[in-house]
Structure formats: structure tokens, C-alpha cells
Amino acid sequence: MNRIDWEMLQTIPDIPKVERQQMEADIVCVGFGPATAGFLATLSKQLINADGTPAVESAVMPGLPPQVLCYERADDIGFGVSGVVTKARALRTTFPDLDQAQIPMATPVREEKVLYLLDPHHASRRSAALRLGDAFIRAFRWMLPFELNALKLLWTPPFLHKRGGMVLSLGQFMQWVGAQVQCAGTVQIWPGTPVSQALIEGDKVVGIRLLDQGVDKMGNPSAGFAPGMDIRAALTIVGDGPVGFIGQQLDAHFDVPAGHHKRDWAVGMKFVVDLPENTPLKPGTVLHTFGYPEPEIFGFLYVHPGCVASLGIFVPSWFDSPVRTAYRYLQHWMLHPYLWRYLQGGKLRSWGARTLGESGQRGEPYLAGDGYARIGEGSGSTNVLTGSGVDEAWATGSQLAEAVLELLKTKKPFTKQNLEASYVARRRTSWVEREAQVAEKSRDGFQRGVIRGLTGMALAGLTGGRLTFNHEPVHPWARIPSVEEYYRDRVSAEEIAKLREVCKAKGVPLHSVLMDKVGWPAIPFDGRLLVSHQDALLMGGKVQASSGYADHVRFLYPELCQKCGAKICMEMCSGQAITFGENGMPNFDREKCIHCGACLWNCTQPLPCDPERTNISFKAGTGGLHSVEN
Ligand SMILES: Cc1cc2nc3c(=O)[nH]c(=O)nc-3n(C[C@H](O)[C@H](O)[C@H](O)COP(=O)(O)OP(=O)(O)OC[C@H]3O[C@@H](n4cnc5c(N)ncnc54)[C@H](O)[C@@H]3O)c2cc1C
Ligand code: SF4
Ligand code: SF4
């Protein structure tokens, strides 16, 4: 992509040149996720000597330790949406005396099971091979570990195990780390402060700009206009996750290494649930599922102490369905007889969704350049074979911290060359890189179906990545058929046209009526755990999006939306924030957006100037969920 296209992506109107306040720092970080937490936790401990003198000196405040600032979009430092079960190797390196009892909701992994869920309703779309397999399992169920329409796998490959690891709540863990980091007194973390762009001069990143306030939905100055402050720093650290706008900006400006792309994604949606008091599930139980509600959808259930569970599903980009509602599918998954016997009588505590970048090493951007470095999932760290992202993100953050300390101590500037020799070199020789290489092509089989995908994972995992299927991932927008095509053997085109008109008139998406039509049972709402999508927004912890900010989701070419048939942005929106608008345009309601970022890659129209991108611009904004347990 060239820089002109980047200007367009920004969707910022021409604001006359305004005086912006400026601040100087030594290091500025974008986002406070596990990656930046790993960076700050490692760095903050080493900036001051035991006698209280600076171990290294600030360039902007001589005599003091380096000034390190971190800006987080969400309203709290404990925001995060994740599983989490983790081996916690990198976390334990940073905190060798880690006492899990200090972290609310943390517990050691005690039991792991992988389950293949059969479809009790015969409503899912299963290939002939899968149907044959299901028939075989049902016929021989008396001799198999089969109960309540679920087959427990007798053997699971070692690369999937998290033995010796922990079950965490990411929100609680981030709050705990945030407290540790801030206690050190050497770094500042500012929640509720979205970063709007990196400041780039020539090919050097010189800091960041905070979001303008007092603007209308389109970003035009209105009453109380307060231009975002510029923070200039010798080093900008970008740990803004898989769909972060600053990462997108750097990819657009510096491009990505040849052959790299981000075409594999998933949206993960989760509930935190109070289990019934007499639950037989012990803390530390880890269940992983596949096969239902659609064969392509994976599920997880992790048990915390105190009869609380984190559970959810992943809807991947290679699921060729225009009916991609994670919310309704999550409810059907919970209602599967094997899981429902544990969940019945439970109560929703919180809810959330977030995009997972599943391209792994193939999605790796340039990791460092003059004045900047990239860490975490946005830098391709998530391991797509082992399903592990937190520990890897943390590890990349702490590798960068060690590198930064080395450069500060030897008084070397943060140039591309120096960052590559220190940070990138550390990363290349670490376990994160070794395991990422094994994982790189492990999921390519899913490009051609679930059975091939699972076989490919097993092959890659068991041969150390030597045997894989090499199916280059195609763009999500190129995969998804029209609704008519997808349902051609189940619902006629005429009927779909009628249903579409009815839904349009009601202003609701099409997926629910289509799912009803093909045999999915109605959800028996109970007001506790099975609640409407809108109720989940409220019960899940939706916070108000502050007024005076521009919309962070924008539709770039109206003509593309107008001719777009599937309007998948409305079908899959995790917060029901995108609905029918006027003249064939979608309408975005910032109040309902939970910042999952899934619309960015689910949109079915590629940009004419760059097929790696879609017709949606997704930037940092305020609001979203306040979900310290997710
Ligand atoms: C449902 C689900 C289940 C998962 N389960 C597991 C699991 O069991 N085990 C595991 O290891 N991993 C799991 N993962 C993956 C794991 O959560 C991620 O790999 C990990 O969180 C990545 O960390 P990160 O710091 O790179 O990015 P993130 O966690 O995405 O953090 C990035 C932060 O940057 C902030 N940000 C973005 N843009 C801006 C901006 N412009 N200004 C300011 N702030 C900004 C975001 O708000 C966010 O807080 C799961 C993910 C999901 C969605
Ligand atoms: S945003 Fe994308 S999916 Fe939604 S209507 Fe526009 S082109 Fe279609
Ligand atoms: S509009 Fe918001 S909630 Fe909906 S998919 Fe996009 S980011 Fe997620």
C-alpha cells in the first residue's frame, strides 16, 4: 500500500493546522496487553539501582530514570478478552516466585480433556466424511468413551497440553501485573487514552498522537475541540494487538516482509459464568471441543476457583459461511448436552469478544525500525498450533525490555540496526521463534476442510513442522459465498429474498431466521445465562462511549457497501453495533461496539487499492466493555 492510500484509511477530515500540546518522553507504549505488560514488568524492575539511583538516565529529564509512558484505549488496565490457559513459561521467568494465590481467579491446570461434539439437532453443515464418522461413532458408542453426544479423545498430542500451566482470567491478571508495574514507580500507565496515530518523520517513528476530542462523528472539530497531544519519544513500542490501528499504520507505511500477510483470523467470544454451587467440575479443569455447533467452530471451558468458569468459542476466518454470528452459535454450544449438564442453573457474570490474529509467523511485520519496535500478537507472536498467545506476547515484550536496557546502558540509539541486533536477535533465538516455525503452516489444511485441517495440525505438531499441507491461505473475503449459494440445498432463493425483506423492515440481521429455518432450535432464554444479545451487552459490562470522539468504525467506499449483498458486517457484529442504514449503507452505533475488531476482516469487499484490506476502517476509540474478569 502506498502512503496516499494510508491518508484515505485514516478517514480524518482536513482539520486546519492546530497547535497541539507536546510532551517529551524517553519511551512511549501503545496498548497495555500481555505484550506491553511483559515489557514494562521486565523493564520497570531494572531502571533503578538498589540504592534508589537511576540504573540508566533519562535523555529528557537528566538525573532521573527514563520516562516511560503507556497509553491504553480501554477504560481500565484490567481489560482483556481471552481464555486463558497458559504454560506460563515467560510469566514465570519474569516472576520466578509467582504465587498464584495472589492473582484472583488463577489456579493450576489439573485436568485436560479434548472432546469431539456431535450434533444432536442435525442442523449443522457437515461434510459427507464427517457424517460417516458420526454414524460410526454412534454405532459403536458402547465401546467408546462416548456420553451425551460427545466423544472424549483417548489421546491428545503433547503439543496441545498445558500440563504444569495455569488457568487465568486475563482481566484479573492484567490488574495484578498493572499493580506490580506501577508499584515500581518508574513507569506510568494511562487507561482510557486511545492513541490515534504514530508520528512518522521520513521513515523514523518519533512518537505518538492521542485522539482528538470535541469532534463530530466524522472527526470535524465541534464545541470544545481539544486536539490530541503529541508525545515525542526516542522509542515507540507498538503492542496494540492483532487489529490495532497503529500496527495497521506501520504496515501501510513500511509495508510487510515479502510473502507475509494477515489472512487468518478468528473471533473469540466468551462468557464468564457462575457455575451451580454443586458443580462436579474442579478448579483447573480444561475442556477443549470441536465439531459443534459447526464443525469449524472450536470451544473452550476453563474452571477457575470458586465455581466460576470461562467458556467460549472461536469462529475462524476459514469458516465459509455468510451466517457467522458468534453470539447465537455460542448459545447453541453451551446448550450441547455434554456441556449443558454443567452449565444449567449457571449465571452470566461477564461477556466479551475479541479478534485473534491467527496468521502466526506468516503475519509477522517488520519487528523494528528507526524509533519503533513491535511486540505481541500484532507482531505475529501467537502460536496457532498450540493455541497459545499470552505467554508468547509476554515473552516478546520481555525480550524487547532486555534489549532496550542493553541499548540504554551502552548509550546506543534506537535505530533499526541496533534494535535488530538486540531485540530481533533475542527473539530469533528464543523458544517463541522455534515453536512459531513448527506452527507456521500447521493450519493450512483448514483451507480445504476441517478433517484436512485437523490432520495437518497433527502432522505439523508431531513432525516438528516438517510435514504440512501447503495451501496458501486465501483472503477471508474471497472465501465467503452468498447467502443464496450457502443455503441453496436448504432454503430457496425466493424464500431468502422474502426473509431478507422482513429482517430489513425490522432492522435485524438475517442469520437468526435462517438458522431457525434449517433446524436450529430456539434458544430457551432464562434471563440468567441464556439471555438476548442486547442483554449480554448490558450484563456483560458495556460502558458508555464518551461523546466528543469520531466514530472508530467507518465504511470507506459507500459504493462498495451499496452493491454488497451479504452485508456480513451486520451478520457477524459481536455487539449488534452495525445495522441496516439508509440507501444500502450499514449504520454504526458506537454505543454498542465492543471493539472486537472482527468487522475489519469479515467485510466481504476488498479495497480496490489493496486486496489485503477491506472496506472497513477500524481505529482506536473509547468505550467498549468494562470486563475485568474476561
Ligand atoms: C476468546 C479468546 C480466548 C483466548 N484464549 C487464550 C488462551 O487460553 N491462552 C492463551 O495463551 N491465549 C489465548 N488467547 C489469545 C491471547 O488473548 C492473545 O494472544 C494475547 O492477549 C495477545 O496479547 P497482546 O498484548 O499482543 O495483545 P492484546 O491482548 O490485544 O492487547 C493489546 C492492547 O492494546 C490496546 N490498544 C489497541 N489499540 C490501541 C490504541 N490505538 N491506543 C491505546 N491502546 C490500544 C487494546 O485495547 C489492548 O488492551 C485468547 C484470545 C481470545 C480472544
Ligand atoms: S462494510 Fe463490508 S460487509 Fe459491510 S456492507 Fe460494507 S462492504 Fe458489505
Ligand atoms: S462494530 Fe464493534 S462490535 Fe461490531 S464487529 Fe466491529 S468492532 Fe466488533
Side-chain angles (χ1 to χ4, degrees):
M1 173 177 284
N2 61 42
R3 285 164 209 187
I4 295 163
D5 302 328
W6 160 246
E7 296 294 324
M8 191 271 296
L9 245 195
Q10 284 195 85
T11 62
I12 293 174
D14 259 347
I15 297 178
K17 216 168 166 40
V18 287
E19 280 296 311
R20 290 182 186 268
Q21 283 188 0
Q22 285 209 357
M23 196 161 82
E24 300 270 329
D26 292 282
I27 298 174
V28 64
C29 309
V30 185
F32 184 66
T36 314
F39 173 76
L40 295 175
T42 309
L43 186 79
S44 60
K45 290 201 250 180
Q46 301 185 58
L47 289 178
I48 295 188
N49 297 316
D51 62 3
T53 56
V56 279
E57 218 175 287
S58 164
V60 296
M61 296 185 96
L64 292 177
Q67 300 300 294
V68 185
L69 303 174
C70 172
Y71 294 101
E72 166 56 45
R73 180 210 71 71
D75 72 322
D76 186 13
I77 59 167
F79 172 79
V81 177
S82 189
V84 170
V85 61
T86 175
K87 282 189 179 169
R89 288 172 286 180
L91 305 184
R92 287 200 175 100
T93 306
T94 310
F95 301 112
D97 305 320
L98 184 74
D99 174 8
Q100 290 175 41
Q102 301 293 312
I103 309 171
M105 297 174 75
T107 192
V109 172
R110 289 202 174 82
E111 189 192 1
E112 296 178 81
K113 274 188 206 167
V114 180
L115 300 152
Y116 171 62
L117 303 181
L118 281 80
D119 177 357
H121 305 294
H122 305 282
S124 61
R125 178 171 288 255
R126 297 175 109 74
S127 64
L130 263 191
R131 285 202 303 272
L132 196 67
D134 291 355
F136 179 85
I137 293 168
R138 286 195 167 103
F140 291 95
R141 61 182 179 274
W142 49 273
M143 57 181 289
L144 294 168
F146 181 86
E147 68 172 321
L148 296 170
N149 271 294
L151 178 75
K152 177 180 162 236
L153 300 200
L154 287 173
W155 176 81
T156 47
F159 57 84
L160 287 182
H161 285 288
K162 300 287 185 293
R163 224 173 272 134
M166 302 181 216
V167 169
L168 293 169
S169 142
L170 190 59
Q172 291 293 326
F173 174 69
M174 292 302 290
Q175 287 209 325
W176 178 81
V177 180
Q180 308 289 312
V181 166
Q182 298 195 87
C183 280
T186 49
V187 303
Q188 292 178 40
I189 307 169
W190 293 90
T193 317
V195 173
S196 72
Q197 64 180 96
L199 299 172
I200 305 178
E201 291 177 359
D203 277 339
K204 184 176 178 190
V205 176
V206 296
I208 53 127
R209 174 166 297 167
L210 301 180
L211 213 57
D212 289 343
Q213 289 182 47
V215 292
D216 66 13
K217 277 158 71 89
M218 306 303 282
N220 299 299
S222 59
F225 177 56
M229 191 196 286
D230 285 351
I231 322 291
R232 295 182 72 88
L235 179 63
T236 299
I237 291 166
V238 183
D240 60 351
V243 289
F245 189 64
I246 309 308
Q248 292 179 53
Q249 181 191 358
L250 297 189
D251 289 351
H253 186 96
F254 296 106
D255 212 340
V256 292
H260 284 207
H261 50 70
K262 295 176 182 173
R263 295 181 195 163
D264 277 339
W265 307 92
V267 59
M269 185 174 278
K270 74 172 288 191
F271 274 21
V272 181
V273 170
D274 274 327
L275 296 170
E277 271 174 25
N278 57 354
T279 180
L281 294 174
K282 300 271 175 294
T285 301
V286 169
L287 305 182
H288 285 124
T289 74
F290 65 104
Y292 183 82
E294 296 286 355
E296 294 85 352
I297 294 178
F298 293 84
F300 64 91
L301 187 153
Y302 310 146
V303 186
H304 303 280
C307 293
V308 176
S310 279
L311 50 93
I313 57 165
F314 295 102
V315 180
S317 50
W318 42 267
F319 174 35
D320 289 343
S321 162
V323 180
R324 303 168 60 78
T325 161
Y327 191 74
R328 179 149 180 196
Y329 276 132
L330 175 53
Q331 293 182 315
H332 286 297
W333 179 81
M334 290 194 296
L335 282 162
H336 187 280
Y338 186 93
L339 300 166
W340 190 241
R341 56 140 168 213
Y342 297 128
L343 299 176
Q344 190 165 22
K347 190 169 184 310
L348 175 64
R349 287 166 73 104
S350 72
W351 161 77
R354 174 182 165 282
T355 284
L356 192 64
E358 294 208 317
S359 289
Q361 216 173 26
R362 226 187 227 139
E364 192 184 279
Y366 291 110
L367 295 176
D370 288 337
Y372 79 90
R374 299 183 65 174
I375 53 177
E377 195 161 295
S379 76
S381 62
T382 294
N383 190 302
V384 292
L385 178 62
T386 60
S388 178
V390 169
D391 214 19
E392 285 72 5
W394 185 280
T396 61
S398 37
Q399 287 156 8
L400 178 61
E402 296 294 352
V404 164
L405 283 160
E406 179 190 308
L407 296 178
L408 286 172
K409 283 180 182 162
T410 51
K411 298 196 184 323
K412 287 187 181 161
F414 296 118
T415 58
K416 182 174 173 67
Q417 196 184 13
N418 289 340
L419 286 162
E420 279 179 349
S422 52
Y423 163 52
V424 182
R426 275 178 170 80
R427 187 158 161 174
R428 295 284 178 242
T429 52
S430 74
W431 60 267
V432 177
E433 175 85 6
R434 273 194 306 280
E435 294 180 9
Q437 281 172 359
V438 175
E440 186 176 352
K441 294 184 174 163
S442 62
R443 291 167 65 112
D444 286 7
F446 286 115
Q447 297 290 322
R448 305 278 168 87
V450 176
I451 294 181
R452 205 172 169 84
L454 294 170
T455 313
M457 278 181 77
L459 278 178
L462 297 173
T463 64
R466 280 180 286 278
L467 281 183
T468 54
F469 294 119
N470 291 332
H471 306 310
E472 183 71 5
V474 297
H475 300 101
W477 55 258
R479 303 191 62 97
I480 298 176
S482 67
V483 174
E484 288 74 8
E485 235 175 288
Y486 186 75
Y487 282 104
R488 69 180 179 281
D489 50 348
R490 295 180 172 197
V491 192
S492 71
E494 295 73 41
E495 201 165 351
I496 291 174
K498 275 188 211 149
L499 293 173
R500 188 175 274 127
E501 283 315 307
V502 172
C503 290
K504 216 169 166 179
K506 289 187 186 161
V508 296
L510 189 59
H511 58 252
S512 243
V513 285
L514 282 171
M515 286 176 75
D516 295 344
K517 199 92 209 147
V518 299
W520 288 100
I523 304 293
F525 292 121
D526 60 12
R528 288 172 58 86
L529 186 56
L530 298 173
V531 298
S532 72
H533 203 157
Q534 288 301 300
D535 286 347
L537 273 172
L538 293 171
M539 293 163 75
K542 183 78 188 75
V543 287
Q544 248 192 328
S546 319
S547 57
Y549 287 98
D551 275 352
H552 56 275
V553 170
R554 300 275 284 276
F555 311 102
L556 294 169
Y557 287 96
E559 59 275 25
L560 289 184
C561 289
Q562 279 156 350
K563 73 162 199 205
C564 165
K567 299 246 179 317
I568 209 158
C569 54
M570 298 181 206
E571 300 300 331
M572 51 55 58
C573 176
S574 306
Q576 290 190 321
I578 303 180
T579 49
F580 285 105
E582 287 177 5
N583 304 325
M585 285 298 293
N587 184 46
F588 172 66
D589 179 355
R590 193 169 63 206
E591 272 309 319
K592 290 185 180 165
C593 176
I594 59 165
H595 296 258
C596 72
C599 46
L600 174 69
W601 51 270
N602 266 292
C603 167
T604 46
Q605 301 295 319
L607 277 188
C609 56
D610 182 359
E612 296 300 329
R613 288 169 192 273
T614 68
N615 194 30
I616 281 191
S617 157
F618 177 73
K619 301 200 283 190
T622 58
L625 287 174
H626 178 90
S627 52
V628 287
E629 291 190 338
N630 277 345

